[in-house]
């Protein structure tokens, strides 16, 4: 091998350049590009530390979330018990549990917190310490875990989380063990941020696209025009009188009312296997797919049952509104069946993952007709045929006659629920 250019150092030969890694460090690095559940990663890290002789009793960490209901996910590893996970809502940062914890101090910028609990003069200045001492913990260390991005939890929005280590060995942690744990923090932070980032991406896509579209996007269905045909029962609902309501009320009240209304609608859809694809102002588009091994009749039955549950939830919501002295919310729901194209549609650099097709246009006409016919629910003849074929007489939909639908050449026979099954809503 020729000599390097002047001023350039030659790399050491391969045997001399091999990195010396501990078992715990190698565990964090040797993942072969595979996605690993956070609980499995955390458990493996703690077990490797124990195998190296670090006398761990309990280890805890918290990871930020990008979810509308969850602010953080806490993971607790305890010797002989493995890992358990708990989700915390966005109000956790206002609770005494957090404000009186060492985590809050770490978020404020502390470099480390240590409490040697077997010492008679050990400060008991955090709410968790009496519990740990009662469990026999002798030493407790909390270290910051710094991330490069994500929702900030630290002072001034810094991307700081934490990891705490507790031991029940008499005498506590030794100096070399403390140093080792501190040296490992950048590596465990990097690996946990990688796994947390995958979870955040999935949470965000699921929140804004829905479960099935999120899975397809994560698998690489990103190109405009990509789509596939599905057969489904189609749901389109709309809140009546919303424009006038918006004009009469403050924006905060309008948004809060919409949120409660959408909870009443979307909850039953998800519970019965449907997918909410889009919120359009005060409207909601959803589908109930004909899955492998299932039937169109089953998809329609799930959609209709979700509709009845949604009306029941709206009735309960309206009872609370009546007590508060405000008017009820009313909805129009159209139900149809057909084949739709499900995929990426939009501009070159701004796509939407949604459904299009004749059946989608027709269900919009159905929903609009609920006002003219003065029924909260209208179903197409195709939808009613699927329901009535598979149901006993008590469950069948009943005809409300033939009606003209905008853009449809011939009048269509429309169906609705029997009046007794809408009792309390109308």
């Amino acid at each position: 091998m020729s000599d390097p250019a002047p001023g350039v150092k030659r790399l050491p030969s391969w045997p001399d350049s091999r990195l010396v890694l501990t078992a715990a460090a190698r565990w964090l690095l040797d993942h072969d590009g595979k996605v690993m559940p956070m609980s499995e990663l955390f458990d493996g890290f703690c077990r490797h530390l124990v195998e190296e002789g670090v006398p761990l009793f309990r280890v805890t960490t918290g990871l930020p979330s990008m979810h509308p209901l969850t602010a953080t996910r806490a993971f607790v590893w305890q010797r002989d018990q493995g890992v358990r996970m708990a989700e915390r809502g966005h109000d956790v940062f206002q609770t005494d549990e957090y404000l009186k914890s060492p985590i809050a101090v770490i978020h404020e910028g502390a470099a480390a917190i240590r409490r040697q609990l077997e010492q008679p003069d050990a400060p008991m200045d955090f709410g968790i310490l009496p519990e740990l001492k009662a469990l026999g913990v002798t030493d407790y260390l909390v270290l910051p875990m710094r991330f490069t991005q994500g929702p900030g939890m630290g002072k001034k929005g810094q991307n700081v989380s934490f990891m705490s280590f507790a031991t029940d060995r008499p005498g506590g942690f030794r100096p070399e063990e403390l140093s080792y744990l501190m040296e490992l923090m950048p590596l465990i932070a990097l690996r946990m941020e990688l796994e947390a980032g995958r979870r955040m991406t999935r949470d965000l896509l699921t929140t804004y696209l829905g479960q099935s579209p999120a899975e397809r996007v994560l698998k690489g269905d990103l190109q405009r025009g990509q789509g596939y045909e599905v057969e489904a029962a189609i749901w389109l609902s709309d809140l009546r009188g919303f424009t006038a309501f918006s004009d009469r009320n403050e924006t905060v009240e309008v948004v809060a009312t919409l949120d409660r209304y959408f909870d009443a609608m979307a909850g039953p859809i998800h519970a019965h296997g449907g997918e909410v694809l889009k919120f359009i102002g005060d409207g909601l588009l959803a589908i109930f797919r004909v899955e492998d091994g299932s039937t169109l009749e089953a998809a329609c039955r799930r959609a209709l049952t979700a509709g009845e549950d949604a009306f029941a939830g709206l009735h309960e919501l309206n009872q609370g509104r009546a007590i508060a002295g405000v008017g009820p919310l009313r909805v129009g729901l159209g139900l149809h069946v057909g084949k739709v194209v499900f995929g990426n549609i939009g501009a070159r650099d701004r796509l939407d993952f949604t459904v299009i097709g004749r059946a989608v246009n027709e269900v919009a006409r159905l929903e609009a007709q609920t006002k003219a016919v003065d029924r909260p629910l209208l179903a197409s003849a195709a939808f009613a045929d699927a329901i009535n074929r598979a149901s006993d007489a008590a469950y069948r939909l009943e005809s409300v006659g033939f009606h003209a639908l905008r853009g449809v050449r011939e009048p269509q026979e429309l169906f609705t629920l029997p009046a007794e099954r809408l009792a309390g809503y109308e």
Side-chain angles (χ1 to χ4, degrees):
M1 181 182 296
S2 61
D3 292 333
V8 177
K9 294 182 178 180
R10 186 199 301 272
L11 289 173
S13 61
W14 169 249
D16 296 330
S17 66
R18 184 171 300 186
L19 294 174
V20 178
L21 298 174
T22 64
R26 190 168 296 282
W27 164 258
L28 296 174
L29 293 173
D30 291 347
H31 55 88
D32 294 327
K34 297 178 182 177
V35 177
M36 182 179 294
M38 187 63 70
S39 57
E40 184 179 333
L41 169 66
F42 191 44
D43 181 62
F45 174 65
C46 295
R47 285 189 293 103
H48 279 82
L49 286 176
V50 171
E51 289 170 6
E52 291 175 351
V54 182
L56 297 176
F57 171 73
R58 188 158 86 173
V59 184
T60 304
T61 191
L63 296 174
S65 175
M66 293 286 280
H67 190 277
L69 301 179
T70 305
T72 68
R73 291 182 173 91
F75 295 85
V76 180
W77 176 92
Q78 190 160 316
R79 189 177 60 220
D80 300 327
Q81 294 184 17
V83 176
R84 68 179 188 274
M85 189 271 286
E87 295 182 338
R88 309 286 181 156
H90 290 276
D91 59 349
V92 67
F93 299 113
Q94 283 74 51
T95 64
D96 282 348
E97 179 185 5
Y98 169 77
L99 295 173
K100 296 179 180 180
S101 74
I103 304 169
V105 178
I106 290 292
H107 286 169
E108 285 295 309
I113 297 170
R114 185 187 183 192
R115 295 292 182 266
Q116 295 172 280
L117 298 181
E118 65 181 351
Q119 301 294 329
D121 57 348
M124 303 295 286
D125 47 349
F126 299 115
I128 189 67
L129 298 181
E131 175 190 340
L132 293 175
K133 188 168 185 176
L135 291 171
V137 170
T138 58
D139 206 348
Y140 178 63
L141 174 70
V142 190
L143 299 173
M145 191 164 57
R146 305 187 189 280
F147 296 151
T148 60
Q149 58 184 355
M153 294 192 298
K155 190 175 183 180
K156 298 180 180 180
Q158 296 170 349
N159 300 311
V160 179
S161 187
F162 76 97
M163 188 169 289
S164 68
F165 303 89
T167 181
D168 56 358
R169 183 179 64 190
F173 291 116
R174 294 169 182 155
E176 64 272 17
E177 293 166 346
L178 295 171
S179 298
Y180 180 44
L181 294 175
M182 291 179 183
E183 289 172 359
L184 279 174
M185 289 311 296
L187 189 55
I188 182 62
L190 186 63
R191 182 63 195 281
M192 294 193 85
E193 181 176 7
L194 173 64
E195 301 300 339
R198 288 171 171 151
R199 178 61 184 260
M200 286 182 192
T201 299
R202 182 175 294 276
D203 284 348
L204 282 172
L205 288 175
T206 300
T207 297
Y208 286 96
L209 296 181
Q211 183 69 39
S212 179
E215 290 176 356
R216 297 195 68 87
V217 169
L218 287 169
K219 289 178 180 177
D221 286 355
L222 304 172
Q223 295 183 31
R224 182 170 63 162
Q226 282 185 331
Y228 60 101
E229 191 176 67
V230 298
E231 188 176 23
I234 310 165
W235 162 311
L236 183 64
S237 58
D238 187 71
L239 190 61
R240 293 179 180 173
F242 180 68
T243 301
F245 175 81
S246 300
D247 290 341
R248 293 193 307 267
N249 292 275
E250 297 293 332
T251 301
V252 172
E253 175 59 25
V254 172
V255 171
T257 299
L258 272 180
D259 285 345
R260 289 189 287 269
Y261 155 68
F262 281 134
D263 277 344
M265 295 290 108
I269 291 173
H270 291 148
H272 293 285
E275 302 169 57
V276 174
L277 300 182
K278 189 181 296 295
F279 296 107
I280 314 162
D282 59 313
L284 186 157
L285 175 65
I287 61 172
F288 295 76
R289 291 199 238 187
V290 180
E291 305 286 359
D292 293 341
S294 184
T295 63
L296 181 60
E297 290 83 354
C300 291
R301 185 69 175 261
R302 289 188 286 117
L304 185 60
T305 303
E308 289 194 88
D309 289 351
F311 286 142
L314 196 59
H315 174 62
E316 184 177 343
L317 177 60
N318 283 334
Q319 287 181 312
R321 290 174 63 83
I323 294 172
V326 294
L329 300 176
R330 296 299 185 197
V331 67
L333 169 59
L335 294 173
H336 191 28
V337 297
K339 292 183 178 180
V340 294
V341 177
F342 191 35
N344 285 298
I345 300 159
R348 289 183 300 172
D349 57 356
R350 176 61 174 89
L351 298 176
D352 191 11
F353 211 107
T354 187
V355 291
I356 61 170
R358 178 178 175 180
V360 179
N361 299 331
E362 290 171 346
V363 78
R365 307 292 187 262
L366 278 169
E367 187 282 317
Q369 195 67 15
T370 61
K371 301 174 185 177
V373 181
D374 194 25
R375 294 288 194 281
L377 180 151
L378 286 179
S380 67
F383 186 98
D385 183 57
I387 287 289
N388 292 346
R389 279 202 315 265
S391 303
D392 55 37
Y395 200 82
R396 291 177 183 173
L397 297 175
E398 60 184 26
S399 175
V400 294
F402 286 80
H403 297 268
L405 300 181
R406 184 168 60 87
V408 180
R409 181 178 301 177
E410 300 292 335
Q412 302 293 307
E413 188 175 15
L414 306 181
F415 293 78
T416 192
L417 286 164
E420 61 271 17
R421 283 165 58 193
L422 287 172
Y425 174 75
E426 290 189 305

